[in-house]
Amino acid sequence: MTEHARLSPSGCDRWSTCTASVALIDKLHLEGEIGDRESSEWSAEGTVAHEVREMCLKYGLDPHHFVGAVISADGFTYTVDDEMAGHLQPGIDWVRQHTGQPHVEIRVDVSSWLPGQFGTCDTGWLSHLLSTTTLYISDLKYGMGVPVDAVGTKQLRIYALGIWEFLGRPQVDKIVLNIDQPRAGGMKFWEITLDELLAFGEEMKAVYAKIESGDVEFKPSHKGCRWCPVKDLVGGCAARNKWLLEMFVELLVRLLTGKDVDGIEITPERRWHIVKHAPDIRAWLAKQHEESLTAAINGTPDPGSKAVAGDLGDRYFRDGKKAEGLLVDALGEKAYKPRQLIGIGEIEKLVKPGRKKQGHPETWEKLLKLVDRPQGKPKLVPADHLRPALGPIEDAFDDLD
Ligand code: SF4
């Protein structure tokens, strides 16, 4: 087994669709074009959250026992606070509702489907309730940027294969896959059968055979390219550039000429395809802009362009204290903006009681009764998204004579 899983579970959305990316990334690694992903303060925070969760589940502790603890991860130091403890507790409670002995941070070997490959599964266990045997997989995702759906998750299905193997290939009635993403959607679930899991395992075997035999293709996709290091290189990934450019050009020609490209009509299907990938197109355009500007600043402008000084920024006082004194002398209280309440997140930090923080329990109770949330604006998602579809908006005047 190699130490670095080429076909890692977390990269499955990429390598199982864009099979050619595997050899390309290997080559770029060898040539020093890409290194290991650099850790950031955010990824270190995620590592700390995983460590706290692991110790809680292994030693019967609660996250609040760690509040105030200083933990180092990936070169960063993080002090566990009430906020992190509050985020971790519901997922830990859910695991404890189903088992007293989960397997935690288990290295799983998935060689039976992907020879030589392995991964680390946050939590897995087998539960026997009445006559039903269930295999549970629970994965913490501490990030708050991109909500990850449990339905369709390839990463957790690979973990499920590994845990199933680790447990001696038991007969199970169902498999519950859980993503615990406290800062982006909370607890998410997907239930599948063992047959469905094993069919997925066969799909992965076929993908592996293609990668090994060199029968591969570049296949850009939103999920596949999202974490791919090739797209971040200067110039990006040729296959992805082409894919995005085609979508973009098609739209642009139509906007400029009012005509379809090569008679291709923008059908509802095509429109959704473009809308679905709009974030990729926007990010890609921003990257082109950044690279073009860098080239111009470095003295090799793209033909037809040049870099000039930007517009002046907002005005500011070089000596804030002195300016404040002058203004107060002249205007008194009018020198200040009207007072504003702090935000609810800040209020939660200061007022909500915690294990190691007294807070203001009575005020917090009363405030909770005053908190409300407006309904969010309708948003477009893929048809297989978990939330039910909105019905047509009824005309409020229909019933009026
Ligand atoms: S950026 Fe996308 S298309 Fe290009 S190699 Fe990576 S996954 Fe494949």
Side-chain angles (χ1 to χ4, degrees):
M1 230 185 251
T2 52
E3 255 321 295
H4 179 75
R6 278 172 91 217
L7 310 183
S8 68
S10 60
C12 185
D13 280 323
R14 172 182 54 77
W15 55 253
S16 64
T17 50
C18 182
T19 43
S21 66
V22 179
L24 178 60
I25 290 174
D26 282 351
K27 179 171 161 278
L28 293 169
H29 262 299
L30 274 179
E31 291 170 354
E33 287 282 323
I34 52 176
D36 289 330
R37 192 171 284 277
E38 277 182 25
S39 51
S40 64
E41 204 180 326
W42 308 119
S43 63
E45 187 189 27
T47 307
V48 170
H50 274 82
E51 279 183 25
V52 172
R53 185 180 192 266
E54 177 184 357
M55 288 188 275
C56 288
L57 288 170
K58 274 187 177 163
Y59 305 116
L61 299 166
D62 278 337
H64 290 100
H65 292 125
F66 293 87
V67 171
V70 179
I71 302 180
S72 294
D74 311 330
F76 294 89
T77 300
Y78 188 88
T79 305
V80 180
D81 57 13
D82 274 305
E83 199 180 341
M84 177 180 278
H87 283 317
L88 293 176
Q89 191 71 57
I92 290 172
D93 288 345
W94 179 79
V95 173
R96 286 181 177 150
Q97 279 165 20
H98 294 87
T99 181
Q101 287 184 315
H103 299 283
V104 187
E105 294 292 325
I106 283 285
R107 180 168 150 134
V108 288
D109 183 348
V110 287
S111 291
S112 298
W113 301 271
L114 299 162
Q117 304 303 312
F118 57 91
T120 303
C121 174
D122 286 355
T123 330
W125 69 93
L126 210 54
S127 142
H128 308 280
L129 195 62
L130 302 174
S131 57
T132 305
T133 303
T134 309
L135 175 65
Y136 286 92
I137 308 294
S138 175
D139 188 55
L140 171 67
K141 297 207 181 293
Y142 201 64
M144 56 180 155
V146 183
V148 183
D149 269 338
V151 176
T153 168
K154 291 182 175 177
Q155 181 183 6
L156 265 67
R157 276 185 283 176
I158 294 186
Y159 290 147
L161 287 168
I163 285 275
W164 181 69
E165 181 96 304
F166 170 79
L167 294 171
R169 299 186 164 222
Q171 185 55 44
V172 298
D173 300 297
K174 59 180 180 174
I175 297 157
V176 174
L177 305 171
N178 159 241
I179 288 180
D180 172 10
Q181 196 174 13
R183 300 193 292 179
M187 297 288 276
K188 302 166 222 182
F189 302 94
W190 188 33
E191 193 178 304
I192 57 173
T193 63
L194 182 58
D195 283 348
E196 285 166 339
L197 179 68
L198 295 179
F200 169 76
E202 291 306 309
E203 268 177 49
M204 292 303 102
K205 271 188 194 172
V207 169
Y208 180 86
K210 285 194 166 197
I211 292 172
E212 281 302 291
S213 68
D215 174 17
V216 291
E217 61 174 340
F218 285 105
K219 196 166 178 192
S221 65
H222 175 66
K223 273 188 179 178
C225 300
R226 187 187 288 159
W227 304 113
C228 179
V230 181
K231 77 164 195 317
D232 298 329
L233 295 174
V234 173
C237 162
R240 184 170 181 268
N241 288 346
K242 182 169 177 284
W243 176 63
L244 290 171
L245 202 60
E246 278 171 3
M247 268 193 273
F248 183 64
V249 166
E250 185 176 283
L251 201 62
L252 203 63
V253 170
R254 191 176 164 87
L255 278 174
L256 293 176
T257 67
K259 290 183 189 151
D260 301 327
V261 184
D262 297 333
I264 300 172
E265 193 191 340
I266 302 261
T267 59
E269 289 78 14
R270 282 183 162 265
R271 183 174 60 202
W272 168 235
H273 183 65
I274 291 170
V275 168
K276 189 168 68 171
H277 293 103
D280 299 291
I281 297 173
R282 279 197 289 270
W284 181 76
L285 284 175
K287 186 167 183 283
Q288 302 313 308
H289 182 269
E290 201 51 47
E291 287 182 18
S292 197
L293 176 64
T294 305
I297 290 172
N298 290 340
T300 52
D302 296 342
S305 75
K306 65 179 178 183
V308 296
D311 297 333
L312 291 178
D314 289 343
R315 292 174 294 173
Y316 68 100
F317 292 119
R318 280 192 299 278
D319 186 337
K321 279 278 158 218
K322 197 168 176 183
E324 186 178 355
L326 287 168
L327 269 174
V328 170
D329 284 348
L331 301 176
E333 274 301 302
K334 281 189 187 159
Y336 297 99
K337 283 183 184 172
R339 280 198 305 163
Q340 243 189 340
L341 269 187
I342 52 176
I344 293 194
E346 185 71 14
I347 292 172
E348 191 165 352
K349 268 191 196 163
L350 298 173
V351 181
K352 185 181 173 184
R355 288 268 169 103
K356 294 195 175 175
K357 185 184 77 179
Q358 194 181 355
H360 301 268
E362 265 184 49
T363 312
W364 179 244
E365 280 296 312
K366 286 179 187 166
L367 281 173
L368 279 182
K369 292 184 185 136
L370 297 175
V371 173
D372 201 354
R373 294 187 97 148
Q375 192 60 45
K377 279 188 187 168
K379 61 176 185 178
L380 277 170
V381 294
D384 58 3
H385 193 278
L386 278 180
R387 284 193 198 165
L390 287 178
I393 297 170
E394 284 179 22
D395 190 336
F397 298 103
D398 262 4
D399 296 340
L400 299 178
D401 287 335

